[in-house]
Amino acid sequence: MLAKRVIPCLDVRDGRVVKGVNFVGLRDAGDPVELASAYDRAGADEVVFLDITATSDDRTTTVDLASRASRELHVPYAVGGGFRDVAGMARMICAGADKVSVNSAAVRDPSIITSAAAAFGSQAVICAIDARRTVRDRDRWEVYVAGGRTATGVDAVTWAEEACRRGAGEILLTSMDKDGTKDGFDLALTRAVSRAVPIPVIASGGVGTLEHFAEGILEGEADAVLAASVFHFGTFTVRQVKEYLASQGIPVRLDF
Amino acid sequence: MAAGRIVVVDYHRGNLQSVVRGLEAAGGLVTVTDDPTLIAGAAGVVLPGVGAFEDAMGFIRQGGQADAIMAALGEGTPFLGICLGLHLLFDRGSERSSEGGPSPWGGTWVPGLGVLSGSVTRLPSGRLKVPHVGWDQIHLTDVGQRCPLLVDVPEGGNVYFTHSFAVDEGVDGTLVAARTHYARSFASCVWRDNVFGVQFHPEKSSAAGLRILSNFVRIVRG
C-alpha cells in the first residue's frame, strides 16, 4: 500500500534556511542541504526546498543548492519558489531536482504547467497553491500569490482542478489562515481539494501537534503532510510523527 | 575505457546526479555520457529514467545510443534500466507525447528497444491516484528470490516510485522478479540474464535503494 508521506519543508533565502511565521519574521536556521540530509537520515520521505528569494532574478544560489542536494540526498526532493518560466524550471531539473513546484507564475500563465508537464512529465510538476478562506463565504478559498501577499480572486478548488487538467502531478496546498499558527491544517480546504482532483495533495500550513499530522490524512484526505518549524525546532522528529501515524492505522515507511 | 566502468546513459533530460552518486556510494566507477562508443564498450550500462517514452526513444535512436545499448546487451554487459529506462527495454509503450508516424501496433504505440517482450501501459486511474508517487512495497516473486539484483533486499521493503506507466499485466511471468500492487499489479523489477530493470528509483530509495545499486555494482564486477 502506498505510504503516506511526511515531508519537511525548508524555506530558503540566499542559500540559508529560514522559516516564516505567517511569512514574516524570518529566523535563520542553517545550511539547507545539511538540514535536508539530517531529515533524510531521520526518515523524511521527501524534502521540499522553498526558495523565498523570489524577487531576485539571480537563481544561481538555488541551482547550486539543487545540485548539492542531488549529491547528498537519497530521497526525492522538490524545489519551489520564484519560477517565472519553464526554462528556469528546467535548470533546476537539470541540477538534479526531482520535482519543481510552481505557484504565482502558473496563476499568471497556467500554460506554464502544460509546458512543464510536457517537458518533465507530470510526476515532476507540483502546483503549489496558497489559499485563504474568503470573508464572504467561509466555505470557499481564494488563491493568493507573491508569497501570500496578493489576492487573485481565483477559487482555490477550481484552480486545483485546472492545474490538474493541465498536467500538474501534485498539489501542494498551503492554508494562509493556518500557516504559522500551530492550530492544525485547514481540514475543510484540504478535503475539498483532495476530493476535487485525482492527483496527490500535500497538506501544508498549521501543524503544531502529532494529532494534526494524522488529521491532515484521515480528515483532510491528504496524501502527504508537510511541516517546517515543528521539525526545525525539534518539537518532533520525523520518526515520532511516522510512529504516531502508524499507531493511527496510517501506512507509513518505517524501514529507514 | 578503464575496466569495470559503469556508463550512465545521458539522454539530456537531466537529473542524473543522484543516480551517479548512488552508484558511487555503492563503490562503482561511473561515467555519464551520450557517446555510443563508450556505451557499447562499458562494463555496465545504466539507463536512467527521465522524461517520456516517445521523446526518449527518439533521442536515443537518433543519437546512436540505442544501437550502442543493443551492442552492449549483445555482449552480455550488465544493464540496469530505471523507471523509463526499464520501459524502453520492452517492445512498445503506449506513452505518446506528440503525433508521430504510424507504428506497427497502431496509432498510440511507440516502439521500444524490444529486448524484453511485452508492453508498457498507463496505470488505470480510478479510486487510486495516478501518477503513482511515493513509497510503496516490492513483493519478491520466486524469480526474485534468485535475482542477484535483489540480494538482501527485504520482502515488502519500501522503495520510491514516481510514474504513470508500468509494464503491462500480460508480461511473461518468468521476467518478473518483484511486483507492486497499485491501481493494478505491475512488475516493479524485471530480470533476464544480465538485463535488469526497476520501476522505482533506487537512487531515491534510501537504504533499500543503495543495496540494489551495490548489488548491480557487484554484478558488473563479475
Side-chain angles (χ1 to χ4, degrees), chain B residues 29-153:
Chain B
L29 291 166
V30 185
T31 300
V32 178
T33 186
D34 60 2
D35 183 341
T37 313
L38 294 181
I39 296 166
V45 174
V46 174
L47 188 60
V50 188
F53 195 104
E54 183 174 30
D55 178 59
M57 264 323 288
F59 183 90
I60 63 172
R61 278 207 202 287
Q62 269 186 348
Q65 294 87 4
D67 288 340
I69 288 167
M70 295 308 286
L73 290 174
E75 299 280 314
T77 305
F79 176 98
L80 175 62
I82 298 173
C83 194
L84 179 62
L86 151 70
H87 297 172
L88 297 178
L89 284 171
F90 284 86
D91 288 327
R92 54 187 182 167
S94 67
E95 185 174 24
R96 165 149 289 191
S97 54
S98 62
E99 287 308 307
S103 77
W105 300 282
T108 60
W109 291 110
V110 179
L113 292 169
V115 174
L116 303 177
S117 56
S119 309
V120 172
T121 54
R122 199 171 205 284
L123 294 174
S125 54
R127 192 175 60 82
L128 293 173
K129 297 175 176 184
V130 173
H132 177 215
V133 179
W135 296 82
D136 214 330
Q137 297 86 50
I138 52 171
H139 301 288
L140 274 55
T141 63
D142 291 345
V143 172
Q145 307 286 350
R146 302 190 301 273
C147 178
L149 191 71
L150 298 179
V151 171
D152 292 334
V153 174

Side-chain angles (χ1 to χ4, degrees), chain A residues 1-5 40 44-46 67 69-77 93-99 118-124 168-170 193-195 197-201 221 223 252-256, chain B residues 12-19 21-22 25 50-52 55 97 122 125-126 128-137 139 154 156-164 181-182 201-208 210:
Chain A
M1 185 182 273
L2 186 64
K4 300 295 182 183
R5 286 169 287 157
D40 175 357
D45 295 309
E46 197 166 324
S67 172
S70 76
R71 295 192 296 271
E72 301 300 327
L73 300 186
H74 301 293
V75 293
Y77 67 96
I93 295 275
C94 286
D98 298 278
K99 307 175 185 183
F120 321 126
S122 289
Q123 81 293 333
E170 283 180 273
V193 173
S194 288
R195 288 185 178 177
V197 295
I199 56 176
V201 172
E221 302 176 16
D223 300 276
V252 288
R253 175 181 70 107
L254 281 165
D255 51 341
F256 49 84
Chain B
H12 300 251
R13 296 297 180 272
N15 209 353
L16 304 179
Q17 272 300 324
S18 47
V19 178
R21 184 69 179 199
V50 188
D55 178 59
S97 54
R122 199 171 205 284
S125 54
L128 293 173
K129 297 175 176 184
V130 173
H132 177 215
V133 179
W135 296 82
D136 214 330
Q137 297 86 50
H139 301 288
N158 280 285
V159 292
Y160 187 77
F161 292 87
T162 170
H163 63 123
S164 299
H181 312 293
Y182 185 86
H201 288 266
E203 76 280 13
K204 296 289 173 183
S205 293
S206 194
L210 286 175

Side-chain angles (χ1 to χ4, degrees), chain A residues 9-116:
Chain A
C9 177
L10 292 79
D11 289 357
V12 178
R13 190 179 56 195
D14 300 323
R16 303 280 295 171
V17 176
V18 288
K19 169 58 190 171
V21 178
N22 278 327
F23 293 106
V24 291
L26 304 175
R27 279 185 282 185
D28 197 335
D31 172 33
V33 178
E34 261 185 56
L35 186 54
S37 268
Y39 287 141
D40 175 357
R41 290 190 298 276
D45 295 309
E46 197 166 324
V47 176
V48 171
F49 297 100
L50 188 61
D51 182 11
I52 58 170
T53 325
T55 50
S56 170
D57 280 322
D58 179 19
R59 312 286 289 168
T60 318
T61 314
T62 317
V63 173
D64 287 347
L65 183 157
S67 172
R68 279 179 59 216
S70 76
R71 295 192 296 271
E72 301 300 327
L73 300 186
H74 301 293
V75 293
Y77 67 96
V79 180
F83 289 119
R84 286 153 202 271
D85 49 32
V86 175
M89 297 160 87
R91 275 194 292 280
M92 221 56 80
I93 295 275
C94 286
D98 298 278
K99 307 175 185 183
V100 283
S101 172
V102 60
N103 189 334
S104 306
V107 177
R108 265 197 309 275
D109 175 11
S111 76
I112 195 173
I113 293 178
T114 321
S115 310

Side-chain angles (χ1 to χ4, degrees), chain B residues 187-212:
Chain B
S188 41
C189 179
V190 298
W191 168 43
R192 196 192 67 200
D193 305 324
N194 259 346
V195 180
F196 305 90
V198 288
Q199 177 59 70
F200 49 90
H201 288 266
E203 76 280 13
K204 296 289 173 183
S205 293
S206 194
L210 286 175
R211 164 55 54 199
I212 286 168

